[in-house]
């Protein structure tokens, strides 16, 4: 009786797309700049058992669309208010942004879009540069590994959590800037580093956590304390908590079906309960007039 070859199942990712194995790669191919960059990204973002799967499906096309587009829009809005609005200056914006229909104001909270749109408006050059640099440094590698949809959901969840947290715990403050979204990405990346610490190169894992704490939390907080004394710390805290919950689910696991993960539903339900409470608070309980 002749031996029969049993066909092995072709590996697929969490969306059912076929993943190429190394046996299907052409031999003798040179590693280009994009491939080297992807290898570096995989070492920073993924545990060892997930890197090969990522590298088989990774490419630089399309680029990280969400984080690039949101950064361009934020920069364009800043330029608009810096150049074409009454103050006509760049360093610190004043009248233009506070009268903007995008800025979150407690007395205009019935205009619900302001709870999200405030992320497009920034108070000055230092504010916009700090947010853009941090979200590009953290967001581009995250979006290369994960989907733009996932990065976008975490980012927007941080923006919304920031404004709603401020409306509850600091109800008389106005808000501008994308710091809630930036801190959500940092919070999600921090949880990724902590959860996968044992599966990463130890020295690299320690360096990642220290880098996140230093450049993502300590330095920005010091900058805010000494430069922007009127900034709402609550909004930043709300953003980072959103990142450490929703971002934890999206960024800690790779190539797995989220809908089958009970942690996904726990985070979604928890965030939904927070949203419901915040909405009811703003309608019935807020001291803001």
């Amino acid at each position: 009786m002749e031996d029969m070859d049993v066909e092995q199942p072709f590996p697929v990712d969490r969306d059912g797309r076929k993943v190429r194995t190394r046996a299907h790669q052409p031999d003798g191919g040179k590693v280009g700049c994009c491939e080297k960059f992807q290898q570096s990204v995989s070492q920073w973002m993924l545990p060892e058992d997930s890197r090969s799967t990522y590298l088989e499906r990774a490419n630089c096309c399309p680029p990280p669309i969400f984080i690039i587009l949101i950064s361009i829009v934020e920069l364009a809005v800043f330029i608009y208010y810096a150049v074409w609005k009454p103050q006509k200056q760049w360093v610190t914006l004043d009248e233009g942004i506070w009268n903007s229909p995008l800025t979150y104001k407690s007395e205009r909270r019935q205009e619900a879009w302001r709870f999200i749109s405030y992320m497009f408006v920034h108070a000055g050059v230092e504010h916009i540069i700090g947010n853009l640099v941090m979200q590009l440094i953290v967001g581009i590698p995250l979006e290369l590994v994960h989907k733009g949809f996932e990065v976008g959901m975490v980012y927007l969840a941080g923006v919304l959590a920031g404004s709603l947290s401020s409306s509850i715990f600091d109800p008389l403050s106005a808000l501008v800037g994308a710091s809630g979204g930036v801190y959500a990405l940092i919070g999600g990346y921090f949880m990724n580093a902590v959860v996968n610490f044992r599966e990463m190169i130890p020295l690299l894992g320690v360096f990642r956590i220290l880098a996140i704490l230093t450049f993502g939390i300590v330095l920005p907080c010091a900058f805010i304390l000494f430069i922007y004394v009127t900034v709402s710390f609550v909004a930043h805290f709300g953003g980072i908590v959103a990142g450490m919950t929703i971002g934890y689910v999206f960024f800690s696991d790779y190539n797995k079906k989220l809908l089958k993960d009970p942690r996904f539903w726990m985070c979604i339900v928890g965030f939904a309960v927070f949203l419901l409470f915040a909405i009811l608070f703003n309608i019935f309980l807020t001291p803001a007039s």
Side-chain angles (χ1 to χ4, degrees):
M1 181 175 179
E2 296 182 357
D3 294 335
M4 297 181 62
D5 293 328
V6 179
E7 183 180 358
Q8 297 295 325
F10 206 92
V12 295
D13 62 19
R14 66 183 176 194
D15 297 313
R17 295 180 299 183
K18 292 183 178 180
V19 176
R20 296 174 299 168
T21 62
R22 295 189 181 276
H24 294 83
Q25 301 295 326
D27 296 331
K30 295 183 179 180
V31 179
C33 295
C34 182
E35 288 77 11
K36 291 180 180 179
F37 179 68
Q38 295 286 3
Q39 290 175 357
S40 299
V41 168
S42 69
Q43 291 179 344
W44 275 94
M45 292 290 170
L46 295 170
E48 187 175 0
D49 60 352
S50 300
R51 292 174 194 163
S52 58
T53 303
Y54 166 71
L55 291 173
E56 294 294 346
R57 58 181 282 191
N59 57 70
C60 294
C61 294
I65 296 297
F66 172 81
I67 203 67
I68 291 176
L69 284 180
I70 204 72
S71 298
I72 291 174
V73 173
E74 289 168 2
L75 181 60
V77 171
F78 175 79
I79 293 174
Y80 170 75
Y81 281 103
V83 175
W84 286 284
K85 280 300 181 179
Q87 66 272 3
K88 292 187 180 297
Q89 51 85 36
W90 285 76
V91 179
T92 303
L93 308 187
D94 189 9
E95 181 180 353
I97 62 169
W98 297 120
N99 292 332
S100 169
L102 303 177
T103 301
Y104 171 77
K105 288 181 168 183
S106 58
E107 67 270 19
R108 305 296 293 273
R109 65 188 181 281
Q110 69 275 10
E111 299 172 356
W113 69 83
R114 292 177 181 263
F115 285 91
I116 291 288
S117 64
Y118 78 96
M119 71 178 181
F120 295 113
V121 189
H122 289 78
V125 173
E126 299 92 344
H127 196 194
I128 183 71
I129 290 178
N131 279 343
L132 289 182
V133 169
M134 287 306 303
Q135 71 187 31
L136 289 173
I137 289 177
V138 179
I140 286 178
L142 281 173
E143 193 167 344
L144 284 171
V145 172
H146 305 279
K147 295 180 178 180
F149 172 78
E150 294 174 351
V151 172
M153 289 298 293
V154 174
Y155 188 90
L156 294 177
V159 171
L160 187 56
S163 58
L164 289 175
S165 298
S166 180
S167 72
I168 295 173
F169 299 104
D170 192 14
L172 300 180
S173 293
L175 292 177
V176 294
S179 297
V182 175
Y183 271 68
L185 296 182
I186 293 173
Y189 182 53
F190 176 77
M191 291 303 296
N192 178 19
V194 171
V195 170
N196 295 321
F197 181 82
R198 293 184 178 181
E199 302 176 41
M200 307 292 289
I201 302 172
L203 184 60
L204 181 59
V206 172
F207 179 78
R208 286 204 315 168
I209 293 176
L210 290 178
I212 295 169
L213 292 176
T214 301
F215 295 100
I217 299 177
V218 176
L219 290 182
C221 285
F223 179 80
I224 290 169
L225 181 62
F226 291 105
I227 303 298
Y228 292 102
V229 294
T230 60
V231 166
S232 173
F233 285 92
V234 176
H236 293 75
F237 182 75
I240 202 167
V241 170
M244 294 175 71
T245 53
I246 293 183
Y248 164 74
V249 175
F250 282 122
F251 299 153
S252 64
D253 288 336
Y254 175 75
N255 206 45
K256 296 181 180 179
K257 291 186 178 296
L258 293 176
L259 296 181
K260 295 182 179 180
D261 190 337
R263 296 172 304 167
F264 172 82
W265 294 109
M266 290 175 60
C267 289
I268 293 299
V269 170
F271 193 73
V273 170
F274 165 72
L275 288 181
L276 179 61
F277 172 78
I279 292 171
L280 294 177
F281 180 90
N282 276 276
I283 295 175
F284 299 110
L285 301 175
T286 180
S289 56

